[in-house]
Amino acid sequence: MVIGQQAESFGPAAVIRSIKEKLPQSEWLASGEGAARNKVDMPDHVKEILAQPHAPKRVTENQERTDRIRGRFEQAAADALELRGMLVGEEDAKAWWRTPRDTPKGGRPVTKDDPLTVLVTGGGLAGLVTASACHALGMKVAIFEQASSYAPYGGPIQIQSNALRALQRISPTIYEELVAAGTVTADRVSGLKIGYRKGNKLAGLYDRGDWLVRFDTLGPALEAGLPATVVVDRPVIQQILVKHGFPEGTVRIKSRVESFEELGDGRGVRATLSDGTHAYADVLVGADGIWSQVRKCLHDLADGAGGFAASGAAGGAIDDAEARKLAKDTVKIAAQADRRYSGFTCYAALSPHRASNIEDVSYQILLGDKKYFVSTDGGGERQQWFALIREPAGGVDPEPTADDPHPKLRRLREEFSDTTGDADGNVWDPFALELINAASEEDIKRRDLYDGAPLLATLNPQRLLSPWAKGSVALCGDAAHPMMPNLGQGGCQSTEDGYRLGQELSKVQHTSEVSAALGSYSRVRVIRTAIIQGFAQLSSDLLVDFDLMMTIPILGPFFLTMTQLSMPWILRFLYTPEF
């Protein structure tokens, strides 16, 4: 594995770019204005979809909704910090999972009075949904989260139509609460824009901020009979799942599963926590993030492969100083954990700002060479944005000084300058800085983006047959299939995992059947998630080469047309009602 060596275009794009740079340039070919049709936010084909009888109707941003959404976020964050619903005190001392069972060799029957027991390590979205799915089907569950609190971390999560259907099947109450708490984003246009002026008279001229591809996410959802995508604050999702997904006292914080032992013969598993506590159950689910310790043990990876997971729960505890250290450490962890560095570092924030195009656009990407800027409606007159820049792994920003008090903001203002241009002289569309300047230095978080191989890079027969499971232990979410954020499907696929895992385990009538059930779950899920992982990886690599395509006659227009035509089919695959 090569770490941090993808700072430039590679493959065919690198060859084309090199040839083009050596050719004589013509100012006349690059002169003129972009087509007027590419400046319109809401094209007719999207208007037709949004006008359908069953389509959600856009309600203009208003103060009442802003106050409600922001207030719900603040209350959920406060509840999390007060440990409401967590396992503490006397209840912790007498928790069911502390007592080893005297299960006979060969296992025991699973009944309503003596249900299957499941330990879930990781209290992010994947772990919470998995526990909710298992509890809804009569299983006894416990969640171990390594963070010291459910501190707010990251922006809102897009719960797309496929994930909403999974949650609806798990618990109608959870579904209804999430929809009520969320902001619909499927009621506007989404798409790709060029970040700065590009193109020529032969391939097409595009001014900065012109649309390249526009699509809606609603049409494919309506075709599949699915609800419209919503965006919900992460602490609110956690609060709803903790309140409605399982009994109070299910989640134990400051609890990291360091290792486990298969007891064999249908007798389950014994997990060992970092404080030496033992936990016993029939099943152990590793939902502990991309640097999963359970995955490290399950696949017998090298020492150091399990790291601190900056998940929706754990990441809130990381300050800038810790993040700098983590960036360096992660390069070493990735090499041991067999994870792929994407080639991108990511700056992210949630800006308390009403975007200038909020009534027509819910999601857009400004494309450029070596970087791109993603923004989405976060609800409550806030914009969640990500600036992805291609550079080697392990980079950190300088610490603030009197002369440079805001190093992250300074860099981003230079990278996406709308006046003097970036280092390559490209003058960006002002929308990027509109959102960047609405964020504070403290609110901007940086991390390198890693993912995994879409399919198994192994010839191990057991892993080929059961990719994410062995015996009484299984993986889900980022522990199983970390992916780039471009499709917004990371959390959605984790939600599908949780649903499917619950369904397969619900078929178990005897603990000796657990291994087969987990293997079945693994095989059902791996192909779908591998395809989506592959889409996400490919789109990241292609996005930074869109600017190159804009200058090539025939190939450029063809590439754009095929991208526009393929989007509904990609969304139809994502928004399947069965998973």
Side-chain angles (χ1 to χ4, degrees):
M1 175 180 293
V2 179
I3 300 295
Q5 299 300 313
Q6 295 174 276
E8 302 294 336
S9 294
F10 54 92
V15 176
I16 296 172
R17 193 178 294 277
S18 175
I19 294 173
K20 180 181 177 299
E21 288 173 351
K22 295 175 183 177
L23 294 175
Q25 306 297 311
S26 168
E27 292 186 9
W28 175 81
L29 280 177
S31 64
E33 294 184 359
R37 66 179 180 276
N38 295 326
K39 305 179 190 303
V40 177
D41 285 336
M42 189 71 72
D44 290 340
H45 71 273
V46 174
K47 287 181 180 178
E48 291 176 4
I49 296 293
L50 298 181
Q52 292 185 20
H54 298 295
K57 304 307 176 187
R58 172 72 180 159
V59 177
T60 304
E61 293 293 307
N62 58 77
Q63 194 62 44
E64 183 278 328
R65 182 166 65 187
T66 297
D67 291 344
R68 173 173 55 83
I69 291 173
R70 293 191 184 188
R72 181 71 184 270
F73 164 76
E74 292 168 0
Q75 185 58 57
D79 288 349
L81 290 173
E82 292 178 10
L83 305 182
R84 292 189 179 176
M86 302 293 110
L87 180 64
V88 293
E90 293 182 5
E91 294 301 316
D92 179 27
K94 58 184 181 181
W96 62 264
W97 44 263
R98 287 180 175 272
T99 305
R101 292 193 55 142
D102 188 19
T103 304
K105 191 173 182 179
R108 63 174 177 85
V110 174
T111 66
K112 183 178 180 180
D113 295 329
D114 191 10
L116 203 68
T117 55
V118 182
L119 304 178
V120 179
T121 175
L125 182 62
L128 294 173
V129 171
T130 298
S132 298
C134 291
H135 173 71
L137 294 167
M139 293 168 237
K140 188 180 289 187
V141 297
I143 299 174
F144 300 109
E145 168 53 49
Q146 66 183 338
S148 58
S149 69
Y150 265 88
Y153 173 72
I157 297 177
Q158 272 203 26
I159 307 180
Q160 296 188 43
S161 301
N162 53 312
L164 283 173
R165 175 55 54 83
L167 290 165
Q168 188 179 41
R169 290 176 176 174
I170 291 169
S171 167
T173 300
I174 290 175
Y175 166 78
E176 290 163 6
E177 287 283 330
L178 286 172
V179 170
T183 298
V184 175
T185 58
D187 56 3
R188 284 155 288 165
V189 73
S190 299
L192 310 178
K193 290 182 171 183
I194 192 69
Y196 42 80
R197 181 177 172 81
K198 203 69 180 177
N200 54 54
K201 289 183 171 68
L202 300 178
L205 282 167
Y206 295 87
D207 294 321
R208 60 179 182 169
D210 278 2
W211 287 101
L212 302 174
V213 175
R214 286 160 293 187
F215 58 89
D216 68 279
T217 61
L218 183 62
L222 292 177
E223 288 178 18
L226 299 178
T229 294
V230 297
V231 61
V232 188
D233 280 294
R234 198 177 299 254
V236 175
I237 296 173
Q238 293 168 344
Q239 181 191 61
I240 290 171
L241 287 166
V242 169
K243 181 177 180 180
H244 300 287
F246 35 75
E248 186 171 333
T250 295
V251 181
R252 187 182 195 259
I253 59 170
K254 299 181 184 178
S255 301
R256 172 183 168 89
V257 172
E258 291 289 351
S259 62
F260 61 84
E261 178 187 354
E262 283 273 6
L263 301 179
D265 294 315
R267 292 177 292 181
V269 63
R270 179 178 68 183
T272 301
L273 308 185
S274 53
D275 63 2
T277 301
H278 294 305
Y280 301 85
D282 299 313
V283 181
L284 172 65
V285 178
D288 47 344
I290 183 171
W291 313 119
S292 167
Q293 182 70 9
V294 173
R295 174 179 177 266
K296 181 247 181 193
C297 298
L298 185 70
H299 292 165
D300 195 25
L301 300 176
D303 290 341
F308 186 82
S311 67
I318 299 176
D319 59 24
D320 277 352
E322 290 171 319
R324 290 189 188 94
K325 182 179 184 300
L326 188 62
K328 300 291 187 182
D329 292 344
T330 300
V331 176
K332 301 174 184 176
I333 295 171
Q336 302 296 323
D338 193 24
R339 295 306 197 191
R340 184 196 83 124
Y341 176 53
S342 68
F344 290 93
T345 195
C346 176
Y347 293 83
L350 180 66
S351 293
H353 172 74
R354 178 173 179 164
S356 55
N357 60 6
I358 189 64
E359 295 305 328
D360 292 323
V361 181
S362 65
Y363 174 88
Q364 69 177 45
I365 303 179
L366 290 170
L367 303 175
D369 177 22
K370 305 185 189 78
K371 57 193 168 191
Y372 58 99
F373 186 87
V374 184
S375 62
T376 184
D377 181 10
E381 295 192 355
R382 300 168 304 166
Q383 284 280 309
Q384 184 175 10
W385 56 263
F386 308 89
L388 287 87
I389 302 172
R390 182 172 269 175
E391 63 178 45
V396 296
D397 295 292
E399 295 187 25
T401 63
D403 293 332
D404 186 16
H406 306 119
K408 287 179 286 188
L409 278 170
R410 173 186 51 76
R411 182 189 182 180
L412 291 169
R413 287 166 179 160
E414 293 171 353
E415 294 281 1
F416 297 96
S417 172
D418 60 358
T419 53
T420 58
D422 60 19
D424 295 322
N426 297 312
V427 180
W428 281 74
D429 182 74
F431 187 73
L433 282 190
E434 177 187 329
L435 302 190
I436 290 169
N437 287 330
S440 68
E441 179 78 7
E442 295 72 26
D443 289 337
I444 299 173
K445 305 298 181 185
R446 177 183 178 180
R447 63 188 175 100
D448 292 336
L449 297 181
Y450 291 83
D451 58 13
L455 282 175
L456 294 171
T458 179
L459 296 178
N460 183 317
Q462 186 278 323
R463 288 182 62 187
L464 291 173
L465 181 63
S466 181
W468 306 337
K470 182 179 180 181
S472 302
V473 184
L475 306 174
C476 75
D478 284 349
H481 49 72
M483 59 185 68
M484 291 292 286
N486 308 297
L487 299 178
Q489 279 287 318
C492 297
Q493 291 307 302
S494 297
T495 301
E496 289 186 11
D497 287 349
Y499 167 77
R500 178 49 53 194
L501 187 52
Q503 291 295 306
E504 296 300 326
L505 287 176
S506 71
K507 301 173 185 176
V508 171
Q509 297 181 348
H510 194 276
T511 57
S512 61
E513 301 168 3
V514 165
S515 179
L518 295 179
S520 176
Y521 146 77
S522 179
R523 289 186 292 275
V524 167
R525 292 293 301 149
V526 70
I527 298 299
R528 174 167 166 80
T529 56
I531 292 171
I532 295 172
Q533 267 186 304
F535 277 153
Q537 286 183 4
L538 180 63
S539 64
S540 285
D541 295 335
L542 290 178
L543 286 176
V544 292
D545 290 315
F546 251 83
D547 75 307
L548 173 63
M549 297 298 180
M550 297 305 94
T551 63
I552 303 175
I554 302 176
L555 180 59
F558 174 78
F559 187 63
L560 275 183
T561 300
M562 293 307 296
T563 302
Q564 178 72 66
L565 293 175
S566 67
M567 279 310 302
W569 295 101
I570 293 174
L571 289 169
R572 287 185 181 103
F573 175 76
L574 296 178
Y575 293 174
T576 175
E578 300 300 331
F579 26 76

